[in-house]
């Protein structure tokens, strides 16, 4: 338990003691006890506004409530407490507490911030799941960064997690892929052909057709049309999926399982439709099968099996999610694009209709990414004149910058990605700022090694009394709680923000407190603080999938 949690629990006990003593009335429904760090050291190490938040329910003045709490507040961490202003309770820690906090961090080693395993069912996180019909674009890149960071965050917080990619390798998009490659193949061989309006027009389709010609020439012209389409679909699908996997791997993204939609047809899809009909949660009308989704909060019933006997996309998604529930996951998390907003209710309705708990399914909606260069919106690729791909973004700004910029905002807010800023080697660039802090730490240790100075973790830590030293220790001490909260909120952007704030506190310490050339005890204590800081920067960047260089 970190010092902040100890203080919060001590405050709760003090409130309970004041109630028991008759100083505060019983039966009140109280707000949570929250701690904050005052803007000035003279106002304490921590402060709480609990007295002001609870004044209405206790029907007493905040100053009187704060005084009652102070009277019952105890703990070996407490030097003294003061009632201030309209009812703040300012808390001052004993000097030894700060040193002991740092000792505990140092004792934890590189694992500091990784929480104990939780006694909870496994979580499944499904993300990206783009159609294997073309290259990933920057929107997919944001989903890939958020999904992979969320998986790492949840695991760091002690949860068991499986990651999964749902490969949409069945349905009309695969037919269109084959038709599009076939059209380009015929064009490249000098044949007149009308390219389908709803086909895939990307340059990658032409490249696929050209590779087929380079390898096998015009031999497929002799095949019947349907046979050629079937062959081209298979060739293009394998090629697109392999490219997709390579792009993701180079972006630091891998999956525990790649789930093929084809495995659901026709058996699993037909089975869930029959179950829904048997349960009365689906019905037949005009030759089609309809889900009674309005019974579960949807705005209208949805077709799941067409009159033609062809299942809809929703039917496959029902079978897929039923399969997920059947695998025994305690929670399902899907990361979808914001354009799927209206689809959430349908999938949840279908799970409820099958008898599953729809609340076990969480859908996180990812907002759009807009690229800017020289202050101007970038819509198209320089290379192809089409959508900017994830591969092009990685080549232009690097994996670290791309991942951090995708992660530094909440996924439910639109992201304006500044390409110029992402490549700047200055403190204006947030990922550079954090990585430079880590490189600076490595440089400090190289300098210390040259003069024979080593970090010592004994009583010298009490020498760390400068305000910037205390602020840095507190920031480091807050890291496990930040991991816990970010995981609970499915919010990896909190770790991106924390790592940037930690770098800022470290840079302030570095500018204020020299190490080499100081008295040995103080120098060693400061070096120990720098060691702990470096570990936490590495750990937090690791959660984000960003590297921590030792030289820049």
């Amino acid at each position: 338990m970190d010092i902040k949690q100890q203080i919060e629990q001590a405050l709760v006990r003090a409130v309970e003691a004041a109630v028991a003593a008759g100083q505060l009335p019983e039966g009140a429904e109280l707000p949570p006890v929250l701690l904050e760090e005052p803007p000035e050291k003279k106002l304490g190490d921590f402060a709480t506004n609990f007295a002001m938040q609870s004044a209405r329910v206790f029907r007493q003045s905040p100053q009187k409530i704060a005084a009652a709490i102070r009277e019952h507040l105890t703990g070996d961490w407490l030097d003294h407490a003061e009632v201030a202003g309209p009812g703040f309770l300012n808390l001052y820690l004993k000097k030894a507490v700060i040193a002991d906090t740092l000792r505990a961090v140092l004792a934890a080693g590189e694992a500091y911030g990784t929480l104990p395993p939780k006694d909870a069912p496994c979580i499944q996180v499904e993300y990206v799941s783009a159609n294997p019909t073309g290259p990933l674009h920057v929107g997919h890149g944001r989903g890939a960064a958020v999904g992979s960071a969320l998986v790492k965050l949840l695991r760091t917080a002690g949860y068991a997690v499986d990651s999964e990619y749902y490969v949409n390798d069945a349905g009309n998009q695969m037919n269109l892929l084959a038709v599009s490659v076939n059209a380009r193949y015929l064009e490249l061989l000098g044949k007149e052909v009308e390219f389908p309006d709803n086909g895939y027009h990307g340059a990658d389709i032409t490249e696929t057709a050209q590779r087929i010609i380079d390898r096998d020439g015009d031999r497929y012209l002799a095949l019947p049309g349907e046979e050629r389409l079937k062959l081209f679909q298979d060739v293009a699908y394998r090629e697109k999926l392999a490219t997709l996997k390579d792009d993701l791997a180079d972006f630091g993204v891998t999956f525990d399982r790649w789930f093929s939609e084809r495995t659901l047809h026709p058996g699993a899809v037909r089975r869930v439709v029959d179950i829904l009909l048997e349960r009365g949660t689906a019905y037949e009308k005009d030759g089609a099968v309809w889900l009674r989704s309005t019974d579960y909060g949807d705005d209208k019933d949805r077709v799941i099996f067409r009159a033609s006997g062809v299942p809809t996309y929703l039917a496959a998604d029902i079978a897929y999610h039923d399969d997920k529930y059947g695998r025994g996951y305690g929670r399902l998390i899907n990361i979808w694009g914001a354009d799927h907003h209206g689809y959430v209710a349908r999938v949840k309705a279908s799970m409820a209709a099958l008898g599953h708990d729809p609340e076990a399914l969480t859908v996180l909606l990812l907002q759009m990414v807009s690229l800017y260069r020289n202050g101007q919106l970038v819509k198209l690729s320089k290379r192809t004149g089409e959508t900017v791909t994830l591969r092009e973004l990685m080549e232009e700004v690097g994996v670290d910058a791309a991942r951090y910029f995708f992660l530094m905002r909440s996924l439910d807010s639109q992201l304006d990605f500044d390409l110029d800023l992402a490549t700047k080697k200055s403190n204006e660039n947030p990922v550079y700022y954090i990585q430079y802090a880590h490189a600076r730490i490595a440089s400090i240790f190289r300098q210390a090694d040259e003069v024979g100075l080593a970090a010592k973790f004994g009583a010298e830590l009490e020498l760390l009394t400068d305000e910037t030293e205390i602020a840095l220790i507190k920031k480091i001490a807050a890291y496990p709680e930040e991991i816990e909260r970010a995981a609970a909120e499915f919010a990896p952007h909190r770790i991106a923000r924390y790592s940037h704030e930690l770098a800022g506190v470290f840079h302030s310490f570095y500018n204020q407190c020299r190490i080499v050339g100081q008295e040995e005890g103080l120098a060693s204590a400061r070096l120990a603080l720098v060691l702990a800081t470096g570990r936490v920067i590495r750990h937090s960047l690791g959660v984000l999938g960003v590297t921590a260089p030792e030289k820049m």
Side-chain angles (χ1 to χ4, degrees):
M1 186 188 305
D2 64 33
I3 185 60
K4 193 173 181 182
Q5 290 172 317
Q6 291 181 49
I7 296 171
E8 288 172 346
Q9 290 187 11
L11 286 165
V12 170
R13 289 194 297 270
V15 172
E16 292 171 348
V19 170
Q23 294 167 287
L24 297 175
E26 294 182 352
E29 190 172 326
L30 303 178
V33 175
L34 301 176
L35 286 181
E36 58 184 27
E37 291 191 39
E40 299 177 53
K41 173 65 177 174
K42 66 180 181 180
L43 298 176
D45 294 293
F46 292 101
T48 180
N49 66 350
F50 174 82
M52 290 180 283
Q53 295 296 316
S54 60
R56 182 170 296 177
V57 293
F58 279 137
R59 297 184 180 181
Q60 292 186 19
S61 72
Q63 292 92 341
K64 187 175 180 180
I65 295 169
I69 295 171
R70 179 183 60 182
E71 182 180 332
H72 295 278
L73 189 60
T74 59
D76 54 11
W77 50 270
L78 181 64
D79 183 84
H80 68 285
E82 295 177 356
V83 178
F88 285 102
L89 188 58
N90 295 340
L91 310 170
Y92 298 78
L93 305 182
K94 291 178 180 176
K95 290 183 179 179
V97 172
I98 298 295
D100 288 344
T101 297
L102 180 56
R103 282 193 189 93
V105 171
L106 291 165
E110 294 287 344
Y112 179 71
T114 300
L115 307 184
K118 288 181 168 55
D119 183 16
C122 188
I123 300 170
Q124 191 227 46
V125 181
E126 182 228 321
Y127 62 102
V128 184
S129 297
N131 290 345
T133 54
L136 298 172
H137 56 64
V138 292
H140 297 134
R142 189 182 191 190
V146 171
S148 57
L150 178 59
V151 169
K152 185 66 180 291
L153 171 61
L154 290 168
R155 287 173 177 163
T156 301
Y159 295 95
V161 184
D162 286 341
S163 60
E164 188 156 302
Y165 190 113
Y166 180 56
V167 185
N168 299 105
D169 53 7
N172 193 47
Q173 74 271 14
M174 301 307 297
N175 296 330
L176 288 175
L177 176 63
V179 168
S180 302
V181 171
N182 182 61
R184 295 303 184 209
Y185 175 80
L186 295 174
E187 283 179 355
L188 290 169
L189 291 174
K191 306 295 183 182
E192 286 192 17
V193 61
E194 186 174 340
F195 195 87
D197 290 337
N198 57 350
Y200 297 112
H201 295 255
D204 63 293
I205 298 296
T206 303
E207 291 165 1
T208 296
Q210 185 63 59
R211 279 190 286 271
I212 293 173
I213 294 170
D214 292 343
R215 186 177 62 245
D216 299 321
D218 64 357
R219 60 184 291 188
Y220 300 120
L221 287 177
L223 290 178
E226 286 302 314
E227 189 174 337
R228 187 168 64 244
L229 286 173
K230 187 174 184 303
L231 186 147
F232 284 179
Q233 182 185 109
D234 184 59
V235 169
Y237 165 61
R238 284 188 283 106
E239 180 185 285
K240 302 306 175 193
L241 187 60
T243 299
L244 189 151
K245 288 184 176 182
D246 287 344
D247 286 351
L248 287 171
D250 289 345
F251 197 52
V253 179
T254 58
F255 292 88
D256 296 313
R257 181 171 183 175
W258 295 75
F259 189 104
S260 168
E261 182 187 346
R262 291 179 179 180
T263 63
L264 299 171
H265 295 275
V269 173
R270 185 68 251 184
R271 183 183 65 82
V272 295
V273 171
D274 287 344
I275 291 172
L276 291 167
L277 285 168
E278 289 170 10
R279 294 172 65 96
T281 50
Y283 60 93
E284 295 184 73
K285 176 185 174 184
D286 300 328
V289 178
W290 298 69
L291 176 71
R292 295 186 189 277
S293 47
T294 50
D295 290 352
Y296 302 93
D298 199 1
D299 59 347
K300 63 180 181 179
D301 290 347
R302 307 287 174 173
V303 175
I304 53 177
F305 234 73
R306 300 181 182 93
S308 62
V310 177
T312 63
Y313 286 119
L314 179 57
D317 280 335
I318 293 172
Y320 176 46
H321 284 82
D322 178 64
D323 182 88
K324 290 186 185 187
Y325 277 92
R327 284 184 258 161
Y329 290 112
R331 185 149 202 173
L332 305 174
I333 301 173
N334 295 347
I335 300 177
W336 291 349
D339 56 336
H340 286 70
H341 180 271
Y343 203 66
V344 177
R346 300 173 211 176
V347 175
K348 281 181 169 281
S350 65
M351 292 304 99
L354 282 170
H356 299 306
D357 177 12
E359 296 307 309
L361 171 62
T362 298
V363 179
L364 305 177
L365 295 174
L366 196 71
Q367 293 297 324
M368 290 178 56
V369 179
S370 298
L371 298 179
Y372 286 85
R373 184 186 289 112
N374 300 322
Q376 300 297 312
L377 181 64
V378 178
K379 291 185 177 180
L380 303 176
S381 161
K382 285 182 180 179
R383 186 180 305 165
T384 65
E386 295 157 359
T387 303
V388 179
T389 66
L390 175 60
R391 173 64 65 181
E392 289 174 303
L393 182 68
M394 287 191 281
E395 291 172 354
E396 180 166 346
V397 307
V399 172
D400 285 343
R403 287 188 65 92
Y404 188 87
F405 272 60
F406 281 141
L407 291 165
M408 67 183 182
R409 298 279 182 270
S410 170
L411 84 169
D412 58 4
S413 62
Q414 187 162 330
L415 176 65
D416 291 339
F417 193 119
D418 188 332
L419 294 165
D420 301 309
L421 180 60
T423 55
K424 259 189 183 176
K425 299 190 184 311
S426 74
N427 289 342
E428 295 174 72
N429 180 349
V431 69
Y432 180 90
Y433 185 69
I434 301 165
Q435 291 180 319
Y436 184 65
H438 189 267
R440 178 172 266 178
I441 287 169
S443 175
I444 290 171
F445 276 96
R446 289 193 292 270
Q447 295 171 35
D449 189 56
E450 289 173 4
V451 299
L453 181 63
K456 296 179 182 178
F457 314 138
E460 297 95 334
L461 297 182
E462 274 79 10
L463 297 173
L464 300 174
T465 57
D466 186 89
E467 283 192 21
T468 60
E469 295 167 338
I470 302 302
L472 186 52
I473 294 170
K474 284 184 181 177
K475 194 66 182 176
I476 292 170
Y479 183 52
E481 181 187 2
E482 194 61 49
I483 289 288
E484 190 76 78
R485 289 189 63 185
E489 297 173 12
F490 307 138
H493 72 276
R494 291 186 64 105
I495 304 304
R497 182 176 63 202
Y498 171 89
S499 61
H500 190 260
E501 291 173 352
L502 176 61
V505 179
F506 170 75
H507 286 307
S508 296
F509 157 81
Y510 177 86
N511 293 330
Q512 179 70 21
C513 299
R514 290 181 56 82
I515 296 175
V516 176
Q518 296 297 303
E519 182 272 324
E520 184 179 358
L522 178 59
S524 293
R526 285 178 174 171
L527 200 58
L529 176 54
V530 171
L531 176 66
T533 306
R535 287 174 176 171
V536 176
I537 290 176
R538 279 194 301 280
H539 195 283
S540 60
L541 288 179
V543 170
L544 303 176
V546 175
T547 64
E550 295 195 353
K551 290 184 179 180
M552 292 179 71

